[in-house]
Amino acid sequence: MTKNSKKGIYQLPNGNWGFRISININGKKTDIKRTKDEFGQPLKTTNSAIKAREMAIRLEYSNLYKRSEKPRMTVKEVYKEYCQTGRTGKAYATIRKQDSLWRNHIENKFGKRYIDDISVSEVNDYLAYLYYDEGRAYKYVEGFLKMFYLIFGQAYSRNYLDIEIYNTLCVNKNTRITMPKMKIDEDTDIVVFSQDELQRLDGYFKGTNAETAYMLGRYCGLRINECYGLKWADLDFENSCIRVERQMQYQEGLIKLVPLKTRNAKRTIYMCDKLKEYLLKAYEQYQQAEKTLTAQRLQNQTMIVNTNGNLASCTILVNTLPNGKIQTVNSMKYHAREIKRTLGISFKYHWLRHTYGTRLAELNTPTHLLCNQMGHGSGKVTEQYYLAVSKSGIELLKDKIDNL
């Protein structure tokens, strides 16, 4: 190995290797210093450092010439352009989440950087920092991964990223940015209420303002936004089913009925006899209230923005009280605190959905039917309910083991 081949190569205190290069093209100088190859792997030998340096030089010459033919964009400029042209039709909640991740995290870290200067290792290190050092939830960090794919995809579609760089960042399985390895104790479990807990919850909610919402979560597995966006017109008592067609959201301080987040969420759910009987009585109360509590309902009603953009009375909603007072997605917060205080049960409305899905899985409901009833776009999500281990499932397992 010649002395010249080792030019720009140096050894680190930990025994690994690094390299530096300085390139001047058309009066534009670029200095680079790295300790990892283009795949983000440490340089453990002299040869690997030499090869990585040669590859970096080739890529830099290629990129410098290509950059002269097109504008260089910062990450902030790319994201701004995406907001203006790339997210038409995105759900309001999705837009808010993206903007929150951008403003509170990504902008400060990467906003001023040129989009074509960001490496796989930088992004991977940042995701690892969020997950391991800051202790963010795995699912939360996944949101950042999606944001980076989104931003790099926007840059590539606008010709701000070369195909080689884009493939390295987002396409090639051996190099692309990925999530850090999941911690052993990461909480990704499906939470299922036991029969005893459900009986106690039944007793708690009976007669409360949130009883209808509870029954819909318990026996239909509705998401909370879907539950509070339900209209009386969505109930088909003759065929014992409920059409899920919209959700309730707070947007810009207003209560709105908006389209469901995904196409698969729009579905028809079938009622069990117990739920049908309960809802029939509630519907009779609703009809009676229209006649006997007209003045109260007019005074108490809240006008909400309907899916068509027009204003509508909240009295069309299933969860509105007979006297016309609206119930919203925030109505469950008080009950969650009271259930913890009085029953000692940790309660989240979404766990009713977990319980519903797991119970159907225990009854050997075919995957495609459960997927349909839950409104999932992927069978992989539905499979979680078949893998969840509930207390009743454990008892069934014990019985089978005893029968061995």
Side-chain angles (χ1 to χ4, degrees), residues 297-311:
R297 288 164 69 83
L298 284 172
Q299 186 178 60
N300 292 330
Q301 71 179 351
T302 298
M303 301 306 291
I304 57 178
V305 182
N306 210 338
T307 48
N308 58 10
N310 298 328
L311 291 178

Side-chain angles (χ1 to χ4, degrees), residues 104-340:
N104 298 322
H105 301 278
I106 299 175
E107 182 179 18
N108 183 55
K109 179 73 174 177
F110 294 96
K112 295 180 180 179
R113 297 280 305 283
Y114 284 114
I115 191 74
D116 54 2
D117 268 351
I118 297 174
S119 67
V120 171
S121 58
E122 284 182 277
V123 179
N124 283 344
D125 289 347
Y126 180 60
L127 297 176
Y129 169 77
L130 291 171
Y131 184 51
Y132 295 120
D133 297 341
E134 289 199 348
R136 307 280 182 176
Y138 193 82
K139 288 289 184 182
Y140 184 70
V141 178
E142 279 186 330
F144 285 87
L145 178 67
K146 293 176 182 178
M147 280 286 287
F148 281 111
Y149 274 111
L150 179 153
I151 292 170
F152 291 134
Q154 174 74 12
Y156 175 64
S157 70
R158 299 286 172 168
N159 202 33
Y160 307 139
L161 271 185
D162 300 317
I163 188 170
E164 295 90 347
I165 297 176
Y166 177 70
N167 285 342
T168 299
L169 290 165
C170 302
V171 179
N172 191 319
K173 291 184 179 181
N174 295 322
T175 66
R176 66 188 180 191
I177 53 177
T178 57
M179 284 292 290
K181 187 176 180 181
M182 186 182 289
K183 291 180 282 191
I184 296 175
D185 59 348
E186 180 69 31
D187 182 14
T188 58
D189 291 340
I190 296 292
V191 180
V192 180
F193 293 118
S194 67
Q195 285 300 126
D196 174 67
E197 288 172 331
L198 286 173
Q199 289 176 4
R200 293 162 68 193
L201 290 172
D202 289 346
Y204 170 85
F205 279 104
K206 190 171 182 61
T208 67
N209 292 346
E211 184 178 9
T212 300
Y214 169 73
M215 294 291 286
L216 288 166
R218 186 178 183 335
Y219 293 107
C220 286
L222 290 180
R223 301 176 178 93
I224 191 167
N225 294 63
E226 296 171 344
C227 171
Y228 282 98
L230 206 62
K231 299 178 181 179
W232 284 112
D234 298 325
L235 274 59
D236 183 348
F237 290 112
E238 183 177 348
N239 294 302
S240 301
C241 62
I242 299 172
R243 295 183 299 276
V244 182
E245 298 185 340
R246 76 198 66 78
Q247 59 179 329
M248 176 187 286
Q249 282 187 353
Y250 280 94
Q251 294 187 3
E252 300 166 349
L254 299 176
I255 302 172
K256 295 184 179 183
L257 299 180
V258 300
L260 299 165
K261 187 174 182 180
T262 65
R263 181 175 57 186
N264 295 91
K266 189 174 182 178
R267 62 200 189 277
T268 297
I269 296 177
Y270 293 92
M271 294 185 275
C272 65
D273 291 340
K274 186 169 185 177
L275 179 63
K276 181 179 178 179
E277 180 183 353
Y278 172 84
L279 290 176
L280 274 171
K281 290 181 180 178
Y283 184 61
E284 290 172 1
Q285 290 179 334
Y286 158 74
Q287 291 180 311
Q288 186 66 26
E290 282 192 313
K291 299 175 182 177
T292 61
L293 300 176
T294 305
Q296 287 187 39
R297 288 164 69 83
L298 284 172
Q299 186 178 60
N300 292 330
Q301 71 179 351
T302 298
M303 301 306 291
I304 57 178
V305 182
N306 210 338
T307 48
N308 58 10
N310 298 328
L311 291 178
S313 171
C314 70
T315 55
I316 63 175
L317 301 176
V318 172
N319 282 286
T320 295
L321 301 181
N323 64 6
K325 290 186 178 181
I326 192 172
Q327 300 294 293
T328 72
V329 293
N330 289 330
S331 302
M332 278 291 168
K333 293 181 179 179
Y334 165 79
H335 295 289
R337 292 192 298 268
E338 283 298 294
I339 289 169
K340 182 66 175 178

Side-chain angles (χ1 to χ4, degrees), residues 328-389:
T328 72
V329 293
N330 289 330
S331 302
M332 278 291 168
K333 293 181 179 179
Y334 165 79
H335 295 289
R337 292 192 298 268
E338 283 298 294
I339 289 169
K340 182 66 175 178
R341 183 181 68 83
T342 60
L343 303 182
I345 298 174
S346 295
F347 177 85
K348 288 185 180 179
Y349 187 85
H350 200 73
W351 292 348
L352 293 173
R353 177 173 169 82
H354 286 182
T355 304
Y356 171 81
T358 303
R359 292 285 183 256
L360 286 183
E362 288 177 350
L363 294 172
N364 295 319
T365 304
T367 306
H368 68 283
L369 292 179
L370 180 53
C371 185
N372 173 270
Q373 291 296 280
M374 300 299 289
H376 290 153
S378 168
K380 291 183 178 179
V381 179
T382 308
E383 286 173 1
Q384 296 177 79
Y385 296 102
Y386 290 90
L387 298 174
V389 181

Side-chain angles (χ1 to χ4, degrees), residues 84-114:
Q84 294 171 342
T85 64
R87 60 182 185 187
T88 303
K90 292 287 185 182
Y92 178 80
T94 300
I95 292 173
R96 286 196 62 184
K97 181 179 179 181
Q98 289 175 351
D99 287 344
S100 175
L101 294 180
W102 172 257
R103 286 194 308 268
N104 298 322
H105 301 278
I106 299 175
E107 182 179 18
N108 183 55
K109 179 73 174 177
F110 294 96
K112 295 180 180 179
R113 297 280 305 283
Y114 284 114

